[in-house]
Amino acid sequence: MSSRLNPYLSFRDTAREAMEFYRDVFGGELTVSTFGEFGMPVEPAENDLVMHAQLETPTGFLLMGADTPSSMSVSTNGTVSLSGDDEADLRRWWDGLSDGATPGVPLEKAPWGDTFGMLTDRHGIGWMVNIAG
């Protein structure tokens, strides 16, 4: 078994919608478990919220996420970075993430020679995309 580093995103009541959105953008298989399925001690209204979701994509990405129960503070998410030299895939993912997003830096030629852009998706997650020049 090898080790892997992957983002784990925190949401308040919107993890299922967000993870389904990322599945639509990146493809792959999404598994979702709720607090109620595992008998976790949450408010009864939170039983159907996502305790753990995991998206495994055809390109080998692993993205995880969960809802944060009302008894806890939602952690601040950092920025997820997508980078590489497969321009077609990276532009397709940028376009998918852009649906309903707040623009940051347009995806265009950067001073260092790569194509770079930043946005905050409709679920409040920051994304950076860098296409090697």
Side-chain angles (χ1 to χ4, degrees), residues 11-125:
F11 301 93
R12 175 77 77 202
D13 305 336
T14 60
R16 183 180 303 274
E17 178 186 342
M19 295 301 290
E20 288 173 351
F21 172 72
Y22 301 136
R23 181 196 55 213
D24 293 346
V25 170
F26 298 111
E29 184 174 334
L30 176 64
T31 56
V32 177
S33 301
T34 66
F35 289 108
E37 288 173 318
F38 287 92
M40 299 299 291
V42 295
E43 296 295 322
E46 297 176 322
N47 278 330
D48 291 333
L49 294 180
V50 175
M51 183 186 81
H52 177 75
Q54 180 168 308
L55 175 64
E56 294 193 52
T57 74
T59 55
F61 296 163
L62 181 64
L63 183 62
M64 297 179 182
D67 286 311
T68 303
S70 60
S71 62
M72 299 171 64
S73 298
V74 177
S75 70
T76 303
N77 292 307
T79 300
V80 181
S81 176
L82 294 170
S83 57
D85 60 6
D86 190 329
E87 184 171 359
D89 276 348
L90 288 161
R91 283 190 181 276
R92 180 171 44 86
W93 297 329
W94 171 267
D95 291 343
L97 292 166
S98 295
D99 182 23
T102 301
V105 175
L107 186 64
E108 56 190 30
K109 194 72 150 182
W112 58 88
D114 294 350
T115 299
F116 177 82
M118 294 175 61
L119 59 80
T120 301
D121 73 26
R122 64 185 180 198
H123 300 286
I125 304 300

